[in-house]
Amino acid sequence: MNIKEKFTDIEDYLASLELKMTIFENKESIVPRMSQMSQKTNQFNLTTRRYTEGDIQNFINNSNSDVYAFSISDKFGDSGITGLSIVTANGSTEMAEIDTLLMSCRVIGRNLEYAFLNYVIKKINEKKIINLEAKYIKTPKNEQVKEFFDRSSFGLIDEDDSVRNYTLNINNYEPKQLNYIEVKYGG
């Protein structure tokens, strides 16, 4: 019997995994892994922007941007660094943009993306930024995340065949309640 078959509800199954997410902010020691993820992640990648280690380091060094990453472990083991988000601001508290949001395909299906977004938006809110922009850029492999921002309180501004542009007033964000994911800050 498959372990998932023991549960009637996906939330109960996910709770049984004992998910532990550790979030890192502007952590230089993991720049190589963050760059690697930007280069290779296709399925859960909202913009599919590819960045070198130097590019990631430049985001970290820029006071108008923040680079977040997460590692995940569960009762079966540690999946390592598997998520990345780069947020850029215009130097004021008016506006920021999610430049990159991606997650390794090996951890899809556990709602980790929502726990990660909750944390990133909390950090943006702490900086007193009011509006957050984001976009989905279509590729042949990322169709599954086409409506991720729609499911995450963002309002669709406009779209064409390949790009969907979103905005969010931070005060209107409705975080997903994911009590079965323990989130901690890892530096």
Side-chain angles (χ1 to χ4, degrees), residues 46 135-139 142 159-165:
L46 284 120
K135 63 179 58 190
Y136 161 78
I137 301 173
K138 182 180 178 178
T139 70
N142 74 350
E159 68 179 310
D160 60 30
D161 291 342
S162 60
V163 179
R164 295 169 62 102
N165 292 297

Side-chain angles (χ1 to χ4, degrees), residues 55-175:
D55 295 331
I56 300 289
Q57 188 64 53
N58 288 338
F59 281 117
I60 290 172
N61 293 341
N62 185 334
S63 63
N64 288 325
S65 62
D66 287 298
V67 180
Y68 302 94
F70 74 81
S71 66
I72 194 75
S73 64
D74 61 27
K75 68 182 181 181
F76 299 110
D78 190 337
S79 296
I81 306 289
T82 50
L84 172 68
S85 181
I86 300 170
V87 177
T88 59
N90 64 4
S92 75
T93 57
E94 294 293 314
M95 181 78 63
E97 178 183 6
I98 296 176
D99 173 274
T100 298
L101 181 61
L102 62 84
M103 190 173 72
S104 172
C105 62
R106 65 184 171 185
V107 297
I108 290 175
R110 301 180 198 173
N111 290 329
L112 302 172
E113 61 272 25
Y114 297 108
F116 187 42
L117 185 64
N118 287 349
Y119 183 89
V120 169
I121 289 181
K122 178 180 152 241
K123 296 301 286 185
I124 292 167
N125 190 34
E126 287 173 4
K127 293 178 183 230
K128 309 287 188 226
I129 291 172
I130 300 165
N131 294 301
L132 182 61
E133 292 182 346
K135 63 179 58 190
Y136 161 78
I137 301 173
K138 182 180 178 178
T139 70
K141 296 183 179 179
N142 74 350
E143 182 74 22
Q144 71 176 340
V145 295
K146 179 179 181 180
E147 296 178 349
F148 173 74
F149 288 121
D150 300 89
R151 295 187 299 272
S152 302
S153 305
F154 285 74
L156 181 64
I157 301 170
D158 59 52
E159 68 179 310
D160 60 30
D161 291 342
S162 60
V163 179
R164 295 169 62 102
N165 292 297
Y166 293 91
T167 189
L168 171 71
N169 179 308
I170 295 292
N171 297 320
N172 296 332
Y173 181 65
E174 297 175 22

Side-chain angles (χ1 to χ4, degrees), residues 35 38-39 49-53 55-56 59 86 99-100:
S35 172
S38 81
Q39 298 288 331
R49 293 180 174 136
R50 308 301 190 186
Y51 292 121
T52 65
E53 289 181 30
D55 295 331
I56 300 289
F59 281 117
I86 300 170
D99 173 274
T100 298

